[in-house]
Structures are given as structure tokens and as C-alpha cells.
Amino acid sequence: MEGEIKLGLTKELMTLRKAAISYVFILPFFLGMCIFVLYPSVLNLILSFFKYNPFKPPEFIGISNYKSLFEDPAFIISIKNTIYFLIVTVIAGTALALIFALAIEKAIKGAWLYEFIYFIPMIYMWVAAALVWKWIYHPTYGLLNSALSYIGIPPQMWLSDPKLALNSIIVVAVWKTLGFYIIIFLAGLRNIPKDLYDAAIIDGAFGWKLFWHITLPLLRPTTYFIIIWAVIRAFQVFTPVFIITMEGPAYRSAVILTRLYIMGFKGMRLGYAAAQAMILFIMIFSVTMIQRKFMKEIY
Amino acid sequence: MRKRKFYKYINQGVLHAVLILVGLLCLLPLFWMVSTSFKEKTEVLILPVKLLPHRFILINYITCFRLFPVARFFLNSSVIALGTVLFALLFQSLAAYPLARKRFPGKEIIFTIIIATLMIPNQVKLIPLFLMMVKIKINNTYLAIILPSVFNAFGVFLLRQFMLTIPFEMEDAAKIDGCNEFQLFYLIIVPLIKPILGALAIFNFVWAWNSFLWPLIVISDQNMFPLTVGIATLSQTEAEEIVYNIVMAACTISIFPVMGIFLLLRRQFIKGITIGAIKG
């Protein structure tokens, strides 16, 4: 009897010991994740319902921050700009990357060289890339206006013209990430078995039809991945705006994150900024959910 | 037959021409940046714009080191990037191991929570993390920049995927030879996941090296600025001497390490950066 009980306990002890090792392994990460990810996120939600100026204790004001945000013209503009930025960079980025990936695949030799060259803009720190382009866009001494003057186009105020400012930044953003998307499309393209093309050619298909009925459908997962990635990145744009135009002129290039930074860390309205972060979160979350649903339906 | 081959050559020719042209456009900013960094001040603000400097001068590089602690910025960025890689790989692989290979109570819940954090965008944490760090006075330290990015569920997810492919026989064999759990992890598992560790190392290094917003928020002591914030500050100074040639010199310096890694380890680099894409 005694022996049996002892054996039972030892077994439990052993499973506990086994489990303990797993917990020990996971603990550093899990603990860190709670402290640096989960806790701050919850705190941000709570903070968004307060008025918090660092020199005074926080004041609970309910959804007042959110109300003010939707009446804040600068914030509304920043949302419009962010969405515009998102639509253009995602569509232009994806379409151009696809075109170039196809072109590279068709150009039989030297693919590695093109992959290499187009990828280089990704290497830069955003700060460095933004500064070069700010210089290129300089109205008087910038490379762009200089080059355009040779073909007779008058110099443009790329960064101070309200109509051009945001678009100038979009060009930089597309330039920077193009190589990345091209590489991904190339991986997707190379995954398509050649036999499919051969079989279709035997059946009499050619050129355009091959693209439409074989390439495009099989590229769907890759395309969706790129689009989701690009959308999330677009929502989080900050550095190029901060460096190149600093939201100018008159908020015409402001985006959500620049507003958050300026309101929260320059204006010291931390509760207000926390509310902005929550709105950003909700926007990203809902767009991602919609995309996921859309993807599932297609499949 | 000959006609078809002819058309094929024209086709290829045009294709390559366009690709090369666009490629040059892509490289133009890089070229422009380096070229400006070697120009004298008078050559920077003149019309018509010159593509190449009349004389290559190095003084811009020296000036930017003199005016701002650029060497210090470089050191800070290096410490931050290497520290991030170290801690991230360590904690993430340690966590991924039991999630991939072991059974224990609460495994599903823990994994679900970890994956759920993938849905939380970075920006939501910014303000609270700042407040937390100021409160315990670590807001001008390397750890302040490193720690928030280390606990990234994405790495855990990838490492776990990779670990799932390791046959159990290896572990059994090691256990028979008398390995304890830590030895098993260190001597067996880690060597087997080297490829993905390499890719994640590069990914984390580049990400940390280029990060801007968080260091901008949390660091106020200029001596602790990483290169990103340092160069931004440099470029926004109203000083007489800060003209674009110096700014470009600073930028050129800043892209050296990552460019170096890219040139030396091109395949692994691209794999590292695109590691997320090979999800399906």
C-alpha cells in the first residue's frame, strides 16, 4: 500500500518537474512580454480616458478625449492624409512591384543584379533616406528641379506646395519599399510550377491568358501578404513626414503618428495622445480583420 | 525562325534597358548622397547643380564628427542593435522550445496569448512605456531602447515553426546519453536552428539599427542618441556650418554597417528581411 502511494506521488512530482522546466524556459519571454507589451497596452487604453499633463495628477474625463479628437481639424486632416497615403502607396507599391518582378523573371539573365539594385533603398535608415530626398526636393538647389529644368519644366515647390507635399513623401515611401515587395513577388512567382505553363501552352493558351489565368491566381497569397504588410506599414508612417516636411505646409502632410508624437511629447497632452493611439489601433485592427475575412472568402 | 529569335532579342533588349534605367533611378539617391558628402560648401549651394564634386574632400566627415558626437551615436546604435539581437534571440528561442517540443499544463493558453500580442501595433505601447521608464528613471539608458523590442511574438512564432521540424529522435538520443534539459537545448536544438537564428539576427539588427520613433521619445540625453536620432538632430540644427554636405556625410556613415552586412551576406540578408513572407 505504502509503496503504491509513494509511486503515485513520484509520478506527479515528475510531471510537475517536467512542466517546471518548460515554465522556466518560457518565463523570461512571457514576463517581459507582460511588462513591455501587455501592461502598456492596457495602460494606454486606461490613459486615453484621462486628461494627463505630467505636472498635474491625472483627471478622469471619460470619452472627452475622443470627442475632442473628432473635432480637432489637425487630427481629422491627419486621418485623411494617412488614408490617402495608404491607398496610394499600397496600390502603387504592389502594382509596380508586380510589374517589375514579372519583368525580371522575363529578362532571363541578371536577375540577381536587379534584385540587388532594387533592394538597396531598403538598406537605408529611414532618417538617412528622408534627408537625401529632402535635399533632392530642395526648390532651388535640389537635384529634381535641376534635372527638370533641362527638359523645360519650371521648378516646383515639392515640399511647400500643399498639393505636392504629401505626394512627394509617397514617392519616397514607394521608392524605399519597392525592392522588398519585388523580392517577395519573385519568390511567389518562382513557386509556380513551370509545368502549369507548359500544359496551358499545349492547350493553346499564350501570353496574356497565361498571366490572367495562371500567374495571377497563384500569386494571390503573395499579393495578399504584401497588401496586408503594406497597409500596416502605411498606417505607421512617421519618419519620412517628420524629417522631410514636419507635417507642413499647414498640416497638409500630417499623419496620425506625427500628430500623436507632437500632441503627446511636445504638447505634453498624454491622455489625448493615448486616445490617438487607441484610434490608430482600432483602425489597423479593423482593416486587418476585414482583409482576413476577404481572404477567407476568396478561398 | 530567325525572325522569332530577332524579336526575342529585341524584347530582351528593351526589357533589360528599362530595368537598368529604373535601377539607376533607384541608385541615384545613394549616389547623390555620397557625392554631396564629398563636396565643398560652395559646390553644394550652386546652380546649375553638379553631379560630381570638383574635388573630393574629406573635411565634411571630419566636421560632422567634430560638431556632434557622431562617433558616440555610432557606438550607441551598435550597442543597441547588438543588444537587441542578443536578448531577442535568447529569450525568443528559449520560449519557443517548450512551445514546440513539450507538453505542459497551460500550453495552449500561453501560446494563444503570445500570438495575440501580434495584433497589437507598436504605437499603442509608446506613451505608457515612456511614462513607466521615466518613473523608474531608466529612460536614458540602452535597456530602455532594447527591451521593448525584444519581446516580439513574431520571432517566437517563427522559431517554433522551425523547431517543430526537428525529429524527436535527436532529443531521445541525447536523453539516453544523459543530457539535462539545458544541455539539450544548448547542444542539440540551437545548432539545428542556426539558419533561422541567422535570419532573425539580421532582421533584428537592421530593425534596431534603423529605429527612430521610440529612441526619439525616450532618450533626451544627447550622448545616448543612436545614429538615427543623432543625425536627425544634426540636420535640424540652425548652425552656420550645417549645410547639406555635412548632413550627407553623416548619412553616408550611418548606412555603412547595414550596407556592409548586405554586401557580404546578401543571400542571408534578404532571407532575414523577408523572413515574414515565407509564412505560407
Side-chain angles (χ1 to χ4, degrees), chain A residues 15 18-19 21-26 28-33 35-45 47 52 54 100 102-104 106-110 112-129 131-136 138 140-143 146 150 175-176 178 180 183-184 187 225 229 236 238-239 242-243 246 257 260-261 264-265 268-270 273-275 277-278 280-281 284-285 288-289 292, chain B residues 8 12 15-20 22-33 36 44-49 51 91-92 94-95 97-99 102-106 110 113-114 117 119-133 147-148 150-153 156 181-182 185 203 206 209-210 212-213 216-217 227-229 231-232 235-236 244 247-248 251 254-255 258-259 262-263 266-267 269-270 273-274 276-279:
Chain A
T15 21
K18 267 192 174 172
I21 284 290
S22 300
Y23 293 134
V24 166
F25 270 63
I26 295 187
F29 182 86
F30 199 77
L31 198 63
M33 189 184 75
I35 299 177
F36 292 101
V37 180
L38 291 176
Y39 178 62
S41 310
V42 172
L43 201 57
N44 194 65
L45 178 62
L47 199 57
Y52 190 15
F100 280 108
L102 286 169
I104 293 179
K106 269 229 147 151
I108 303 168
K109 295 197 203 128
W112 64 271
L113 181 66
Y114 296 123
E115 287 173 32
F116 179 74
I117 293 180
Y118 292 144
F119 198 75
I120 285 193
M122 275 299 276
I123 312 290
Y124 290 53
M125 304 178 338
W126 248 125
V127 173
L131 284 171
V132 186
W133 278 94
K134 186 173 181 182
W135 178 224
I136 291 180
H138 195 276
T140 333
Y141 303 110
L143 190 61
S146 245
Y150 281 119
W175 167 86
K176 190 156 197 306
L178 194 64
F180 180 58
I183 302 277
I184 299 182
F225 172 81
W229 180 273
Q236 300 173 333
F238 174 80
T239 312
F242 187 78
I243 301 276
M246 190 56 101
L257 274 187
L260 191 153
Y261 175 74
F265 295 98
M268 282 298 156
R269 297 175 61 182
L270 292 165
M278 290 314 301
L280 182 63
F281 174 45
I284 296 184
F285 192 74
T288 316
M289 286 290 117
R292 289 249 169 102
Chain B
K8 187 178 172 197
Q12 288 285 301
L15 214 53
H16 280 284
V18 172
L19 284 175
I20 291 181
V22 175
L24 287 177
L25 282 178
C26 266
L27 289 182
L28 192 61
L30 174 65
F31 173 78
W32 186 237
M33 177 176 86
T36 310
V44 173
L45 299 173
I46 58 164
L47 290 171
V49 167
L51 265 186
F91 293 150
Q92 287 170 15
L94 276 177
Y97 175 55
L99 287 172
K102 298 210 172 290
R103 274 174 302 183
F104 52 91
I110 293 181
I113 296 180
I114 291 181
T117 64
M119 295 258 68
I120 303 177
N122 254 338
Q123 292 70 35
V124 172
K125 312 181 310 195
L126 291 176
I127 296 173
L129 275 177
F130 173 71
L131 291 172
M132 280 162 63
M133 297 201 168
L147 287 177
V150 160
F151 303 100
N152 181 355
V156 175
E181 293 294 348
F182 288 103
F185 179 76
F203 182 77
V206 176
W209 185 268
N210 295 350
F212 180 63
L213 180 54
L216 181 70
I217 290 176
L227 268 176
T228 42
V229 182
I231 292 183
S235 75
Q236 285 171 354
Y244 267 105
V247 176
M248 292 296 112
C251 288
S254 74
I255 66 172
V258 181
M259 188 68 84
F262 180 58
L263 290 174
R266 193 167 46 95
R267 285 271 145 75
F269 190 98
I270 295 188
I273 297 286
T274 59
I278 333 288
K279 239 186 357 183

